[in-house]
Structures are given as C-alpha cells and as structure tokens.
C-alpha cells in the first residue's frame, strides 16, 4: 500500500515534467556570408581584412529568419581578447554600436515590412580620431547581431585590423 501511495503522489509530477510542450518555437535567425571590406579596396602586405582609420568600411551579410526585426553592429577593441576601453596617452580604442531596423520609417525596409531574407550592404565611416586622440591600431571585433520579431537572436563576429598609417597606391 505504501508503494501505491508513493506512486500516486509521484504521478502528477511525472506527468508535469514529461508532457510534450506543443508551443511553436521559431528557429533562430541566420547570418551568412558576413564580410567587412574597405571602401577603396586597398591591398597591403597584411593577411585578412584591413581597414584604414579615417576611411570607409563596407558591411555585407545575408540575413535570414522569420520576420527580421533588428540588426546591430557592435565594433570594439578586441586584441588578445581584451575588451579594454582604457587608452594610453598616444591613442584610444574605438567602440561603437550601429543599429538598423526593419519595418520602420527610414529603416532597412518600408514601414510594416519585416522580411524573411535580406542582403545587408551598409557603408560606415571609421574615424581616425576619438576624443582628440588617434584611434588605437590593431584588431577590432566586428560583432553582427540579428533579431527576429519573436525576439530570437543570433550573432556572427569577424576580427578586422584597423591601421592608421597608409600610403595611397
């Protein structure tokens, strides 16, 4: 009898935790072909992406999801995985967040339009000076976030070298 009573008490808990949740969970949005290139197509002796401070960077990515909502580009100093915002006397690490919206006035798409696919192609200016000092040269993280209407998020990161000394070819 004690065993039966134990199972009778335990049964509701087993049913509670073993029920199949029929909620419709939408998949995370996807970012593919994410790239950062310079606006003048400079080619140096360095490997990888190099952007010149004071010039333009081009951000490209293929975005996919269920009713895309927001794209955010987070750029920050990332050399050696140190996300420091301190600076020395000669230069300062640069950081910025750029947000693009879907479905709003002056957004990536017209008001009320939330696409399932979008080819992001944006030009951004890379400053040469911040707070009166030249920006610190080195590796920066270009972190692209993507959200859909359901609040699902995904992200992709690229390491980009920003340099300031450059001779035009």
């Amino acid at each position: 009898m004690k065993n039966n009573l134990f199972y009778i008490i335990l049964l509701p808990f087993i049913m509670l935790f073993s029920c199949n949740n029929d909620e419709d969970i939408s998949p995370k949005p996807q970012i593919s072909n994410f790239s950062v290139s310079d606006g003048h197509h400079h080619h140096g002796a360095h490997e990888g992406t190099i952007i010149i401070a004071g010039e333009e960077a081009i951000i490209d990515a293929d975005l996919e999801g269920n009713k895309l909502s927001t794209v955010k580009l987070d750029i920050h100093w990332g050399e050696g995985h140190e996300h420091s915002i301190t600076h020395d006397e000669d230069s300062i690490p640069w950081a910025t967040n750029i947000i693009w919206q879907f479905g709003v006035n002056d957004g990536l798409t017209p008001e009320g339009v939330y696409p399932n696919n979008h080819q992001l192609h944006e030009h951004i200016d890379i400053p040469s000076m911040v707070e009166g000092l030249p920006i610190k040269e080195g590796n920066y993280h270009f972190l692209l976030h993507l959200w859909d209407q359901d609040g699902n998020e995904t992200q992709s990161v690229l390491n980009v070298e920003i340099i300031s000394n450059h001779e035009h070819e």
Side-chain angles (χ1 to χ4, degrees):
M1 183 71 169
K2 285 184 184 180
N3 284 342
N4 289 341
L5 184 57
F6 174 75
Y7 289 116
I8 291 172
I9 293 172
L10 188 59
L11 185 61
F13 292 106
I14 292 171
M15 290 176 62
L16 177 67
F17 292 109
S18 67
C19 288
N20 184 5
N21 190 350
D22 290 334
E23 285 185 37
D24 211 10
I25 299 174
S26 59
K28 283 184 163 187
Q30 299 294 313
I31 299 170
S32 59
N33 302 317
F34 177 32
S35 67
V36 177
S37 59
D38 69 9
H40 298 287
H41 306 291
H42 292 108
H43 300 287
H46 300 63
E47 289 184 24
T49 302
I50 298 172
I51 304 294
I52 310 301
E55 295 190 6
E56 184 177 78
I58 300 170
I59 311 302
D60 286 302
D62 294 330
L63 310 176
E64 185 178 334
N66 184 22
K67 295 185 179 178
L68 300 176
S69 173
T70 305
V71 180
K72 180 174 97 171
L73 179 63
D74 170 14
I75 303 171
H76 58 269
W77 174 254
E79 193 155 292
H81 286 89
E82 294 177 18
H83 296 100
S84 172
I85 57 170
T86 61
H87 61 86
D88 55 33
E89 295 177 14
D90 299 332
S91 64
I92 186 169
W94 172 57
T96 192
N97 286 305
I98 301 167
I99 297 175
W100 297 286
Q101 299 261 298
F102 292 97
V104 297
N105 259 348
D106 298 323
L108 293 170
T109 55
E111 189 168 348
V113 176
Y114 301 96
N116 293 332
N117 297 294
H118 183 79
Q119 288 185 320
L120 183 71
H121 178 82
E122 295 292 328
H123 296 241
I124 63 168
D125 293 324
I126 307 297
S128 58
M129 304 283 284
V130 174
E131 298 176 16
L133 292 172
I135 70 167
K136 188 173 187 78
E137 292 186 37
N139 286 327
Y140 283 79
H141 293 162
F142 279 58
L143 181 58
L144 193 65
H145 299 262
L146 175 62
W147 287 271
D148 65 17
Q149 285 284 298
D150 294 329
N152 297 314
E153 179 205 3
T154 195
Q155 53 187 268
S156 183
V157 65
L158 291 175
N159 292 315
V160 175
E161 185 175 355
I162 296 179
I163 62 174
S164 60
N165 295 331
H166 177 72
E167 293 181 23
H168 288 277
E169 297 175 358

